[in-house]
Each structure stands twice: as structure tokens, then as C-alpha cells.
Amino acid sequence: MGCMFSHLAAKFAFFPPSPPTYHVTKTPDGKLSAVSSSASSTFPATGDSSLDVRVVKTRRGNKVAAFYLRNPNARLTLLYSHGNAADLGQLFDLFVQLKVNLRVNLMGYDYSGYGASTGKPSEYNTYADIEAVYECLQTEYGVGQEDLILYGQSVGSGPTLHLASKLPRLRGVVLHSGILSGLRVLCHVKFKFCCDIYSNINKIKKVKSPVLVIHGTEDDVVNWLHGNRLWKMAKEPYEPLWIKGGGHCNLEIYPEYIRHLYRFIQDMENTTTKSRLKKIRQDIRRRDESKGCCSFGLCSPKCPRCPKPSCDCSCDCRCDCSCKWSCPSSKGCFSCCKKPSCVSSCCKCSCPSLKGCFTCCKKPSCVSSSCCIPKLKCCSCFGKPRCPKCSCWKCLKCPESECCCADCFSWLCFCGGGRRKEGETRGGTTG
């Protein structure tokens, strides 16, 4: 049933130009060349090294036509996935402009059933198409994912994000008028349906490379909200380009389009693994702060919403904003904090690093800022001495586990760190 729905959805998603605007021929020396079907678009003469025409076989048995445009000054390669109503013949002039202005090598391809490609267009055929073209870039041109930027326009955002989600070291991704999913273009839905295609809303979360989103504010085919949400859901979003007044098929004519895209390419060229990891950490920290999460460093809890951090152990300390704070080195207890405040009048916390239980009244405090043994200032147990090793003392005289008698001076430390006998005073021994 799901396959039938997907086939039906494909009928509404793909509109290949008919007849195709070009065809592929073989020259006497065995090389492939493209011949335009109209006078409006011309291809380089046969033998021109700036254009390679390829036919690539996919894992689903189709043969896909691809153009590779070479730039001698390029450091990166752009893999372009076009929209649902164009083919390589219509896009060739644009490819030449992008190759020159962005200083990149560019590989464009036609989906199954488009242009000179065989088969019929479908969601899963496009996935196989882009995988086959990427393999061609690897084997024929030596392009690794570290030197590759994926570019998807409209429906092309589907195969683009499909491949991007599988390449963790990809240099970057460009989503031009991208879609959240096929069904969401037609109507606003919050759930996934079996008849839906190109579930980009789920795949964008798996992309680990920088993502540039370009969208027109007056797009009447794919609403601007699609691009905005894709940008917000990206793990590493690049500064987006919202072209004011831009539609669905005319963003390339705006000057800011090529300027912003060029800046993105330059930033990707200058990006190293070290600087990229640093930027990811900064973005995560910035997002956490904007959400009000208690993501503090050890020994310095600072919640942006309230002054009461929470510990994950069995005590009753809770932050007013219901966020959670935990200290990994102490398994969630207060051994690494400065001054967490209890909501209740007193809380009991069991911490393995403290060699027993301690009772804190409102404000336990650390001796140092590192992982340490807290020096407790109890507000009620005035007769309780202080042990340099731990804070867990037991009164030998009273049956209660916690003695609050001001005149009781018979104490035994659980860790054997010391003992105060009767007759001793707090300031020293008597007699």
C-alpha cells in the first residue's frame, strides 16, 4: 500500500521537460558529448576539456546523464540536484556561471526519467541517482566528501539531504528553496503519512556538516516557512539568506544570491576540523543558553532562570525552572558545587565520594572549587564537631543517628578520622 501511495505522490512531484532539451551522442573517438535540442542553449564544442559528459549506471538499473564542469582554480566540488521541472539542458548556462563565480568544479545530473536519463522518476530512484553520481566523483575525479558541497534546489533537497545524512565528513550543504516533505508542500500537517515523500524534516537532523538555507520570502510554491524550519532544525546552521521578494524559480537573479553563496564557499574552504569542532561547541552552548538550560561548567552552576540548581540524587533539591543540573564527577551530588541552595529546610544526600551520608541545612559549601569534601555548617547540630576527612559523625551517647544536643561531646567519625571524648570542649581539651 505504501509503495502505491509513493508512486501516486511521484506523479504530482515530477514534471520532466518533454521533449528533453538535449540529447547525448557518442563521438568517433568514443567520447560522449551533449547536443542541444534548441538554439537557446549551446554546449562547448566536442573535445573541450571544460565539460565532461557522463552516463552513470545506478543500483536500480537506470542510466543517469551527468555533466562535470571543470574549473582549474577550484578547491571544492559542487554536486547540484535540480528542481522537478528542469533538466541539464536548461541549467547548463547557470552551471557555467556558478563554476566561474564560485570558483568550484560542478557536477550536475538528471534524475531517472529526466533529459537523457533512462527509467522513471521516483523518490527512491533519485536516491540511487545521487549515490551513483557521488561514486562517480570518487572514482573518476578523486573527490572525497571532505571536498564536496551538496546543493539541492526544491525537490533536489530530497536526494541532497539523503546523501548528506550518510556523509559525516561532508564539507557543506546548500538548500535552495528546500522542502520539509512532499506532503507538507500541499498542506500543513504535523504527522508523517505513508504517502509522503522526501521526509527532509527527519533527515536534516542527521546532517553533521554546515547547512546554508536560501529561500525567497514570496515563494508561492514552497512557503518560506519550510526553509526557516529546516534552518532551525540543522545541527550546524550557517547564516541563512532570506531573499526579500524572491519567488521559487528566480532567486539566481538577485545580487545577494551569488554574494552570499560565494561567502559560504569561501568559509567552507577555510574551515579546518579544529575550527569546525570549536564552532559546533559554541553553537551548542549558545542554543542551551537561549533555551534556559542549566549547562554550566563544574563548580560554577548558574541557571539563567533561577538561582537554585538541582541535584540528580535522592535529595529534594529542585530548580525553580524545572531544569536539571548534575555533576558528572560526583554522580549528581554536591561534592563539586559552590553553593547550591535547597528548596526545603534540609536535605539528605548520599554520595559515594563522601564515604557516607551527610546532612546539609540549606547551604552546603565547598572548601575549594575542585572536587572536594564539603565543609558543612549545620544550623541545628551545634554540638557536632568537624572532621578533616568527612562530615559523617555519630553520637556515642544519644540513640539518634543525628544528635542535635549542644552539650553532647561524645562523637565517633565513621571513617575513623577522629574522636572527641566527653570532657573535651570545642576550643580544646579540659583540665
Side-chain angles (χ1 to χ4, degrees):
M1 182 66 71
C3 182
M4 183 184 71
F5 279 123
S6 295
H7 180 70
L8 182 63
K11 289 180 179 283
F12 294 96
F14 302 107
F15 302 96
S18 182
T21 62
Y22 73 101
H23 61 276
V24 174
T25 62
K26 185 175 289 188
T27 61
D29 58 356
K31 292 185 178 181
L32 297 177
S33 65
V35 178
S36 176
S37 301
S38 64
S40 60
S41 180
T42 58
F43 298 103
T46 303
D48 193 329
S49 61
S50 65
L51 172 65
D52 289 348
V53 179
R54 295 275 179 179
V55 174
V56 183
K57 190 173 182 179
T58 74
R59 57 180 169 83
R60 295 174 70 90
N62 298 323
K63 293 182 179 180
V64 173
F67 291 174
Y68 181 78
L69 287 75
R70 187 180 288 102
N71 188 327
N73 300 318
R75 293 173 56 188
L76 299 178
T77 299
L78 196 72
L79 177 52
Y80 193 104
S81 300
H82 60 68
N84 68 338
D87 64 12
L88 293 179
Q90 296 171 323
L91 294 170
F92 181 76
D93 293 337
L94 172 64
F95 288 172
V96 173
Q97 294 178 23
L98 293 177
K99 179 195 75 169
V100 173
N101 294 325
L102 301 180
R103 290 192 302 178
V104 295
N105 299 316
L106 190 146
M107 174 71 94
Y109 67 101
D110 265 335
Y111 310 128
S112 297
Y114 279 71
S117 299
T118 64
K120 294 182 178 180
S122 71
E123 176 188 8
Y124 291 99
N125 274 345
T126 60
Y127 294 160
D129 297 341
I130 194 172
E131 289 172 2
V133 174
Y134 170 63
E135 185 178 352
C136 175
L137 283 173
Q138 286 183 303
T139 57
E140 300 296 332
Y141 300 99
V143 177
Q145 56 179 294
E146 298 86 355
D147 301 318
L148 183 65
I149 294 177
L150 300 184
Y151 189 113
Q153 197 266 337
S154 189
V155 166
S157 60
T160 292
L161 288 177
H162 166 78
L163 184 60
S165 64
K166 298 177 179 291
L167 303 179
R169 300 189 305 277
L170 190 66
R171 186 60 68 99
V173 175
V174 180
L175 300 179
H176 174 163
S177 303
I179 64 175
L180 289 170
S181 73
L183 189 59
R184 286 174 171 83
V185 175
L186 303 176
C187 55
H188 180 71
V189 294
K190 295 183 179 180
F191 306 100
K192 183 178 180 180
F193 293 88
C194 61
C195 60
D196 203 1
I197 62 174
Y198 295 128
S199 186
N200 295 340
I201 191 172
N202 296 323
K203 292 184 178 180
I204 186 68
K205 304 172 186 177
K206 301 177 183 178
V207 177
K208 298 181 180 179
S209 54
V211 177
L212 165 63
V213 178
I214 303 174
H215 217 108
T217 59
E218 301 299 326
D219 192 329
D220 57 353
V221 178
V222 180
N223 194 283
W224 168 82
L225 295 175
H226 284 250
N228 186 47
R229 190 169 179 188
L230 286 171
W231 174 70
K232 288 182 177 179
M233 296 179 70
K235 283 188 175 181
E236 193 177 343
Y238 188 82
E239 181 185 352
L241 175 60
W242 312 129
I243 298 182
K244 187 175 181 180
H248 188 68
C249 301
N250 64 348
L251 301 186
E252 295 87 353
I253 67 175
Y254 288 84
E256 56 264 38
Y257 165 80
I258 199 68
R259 285 200 301 263
H260 198 87
L261 193 54
Y262 177 78
R263 181 156 62 91
F264 174 74
I265 298 295
Q266 292 301 304
D267 288 345
M268 295 305 101
E269 286 184 355
N270 300 328
T271 296
T272 62
T273 303
K274 184 176 179 180
S275 62
R276 184 171 166 183
L277 290 175
K278 182 179 179 181
K279 185 177 184 302
I280 291 174
R281 295 190 189 101
Q282 291 174 346
D283 291 341
I284 292 175
R285 190 179 302 112
R286 191 180 301 113
R287 284 189 178 187
D288 288 344
E289 290 175 355
S290 65
K291 292 178 181 177
C293 295
C294 291
S295 302
F296 349 88
L298 295 181
C299 306
S300 57
K302 293 180 180 179
C303 176
R305 293 188 181 180
C306 70
K308 296 178 180 179
S310 164
C311 103
D312 288 339
C313 54
S314 59
C315 66
D316 294 326
C317 301
R318 290 292 179 268
C319 180
D320 284 350
C321 64
S322 300
C323 54
K324 294 181 179 180
W325 169 69
S326 61
C327 176
S329 61
S330 61
K331 299 182 180 179
C333 293
F334 292 131
S335 60
C336 274
C337 62
K338 287 185 176 180
K339 280 190 177 182
S341 302
C342 293
V343 176
S344 60
S345 60
C346 192
C347 66
K348 294 183 178 180
C349 181
S350 176
C351 180
S353 63
L354 298 178
K355 300 180 182 180
C357 297
F358 65 91
T359 302
C360 60
C361 296
K362 290 190 177 180
K363 285 190 178 181
S365 60
C366 263
V367 177
S368 66
S369 61
S370 61
C371 295
C372 57
I373 305 302
K375 183 169 67 175
L376 303 177
K377 298 181 180 180
C378 189
C379 57
S380 60
C381 304
F382 300 104
K384 186 174 180 178
R386 294 176 182 171
C387 172
K389 294 185 178 181
C390 76
S391 303
C392 303
W393 288 75
K394 182 179 181 181
C395 180
L396 300 180
K397 191 173 183 181
C398 302
E400 292 79 12
S401 59
E402 295 293 337
C403 176
C404 295
C405 304
D407 57 349
C408 177
F409 297 100
S410 181
W411 295 84
L412 177 65
C413 178
F414 284 159
C415 68
R419 178 173 180 170
R420 297 183 66 176
K421 302 179 180 179
E422 286 184 306
E424 291 181 342
T425 63
R426 296 174 191 168
T429 57
T430 57

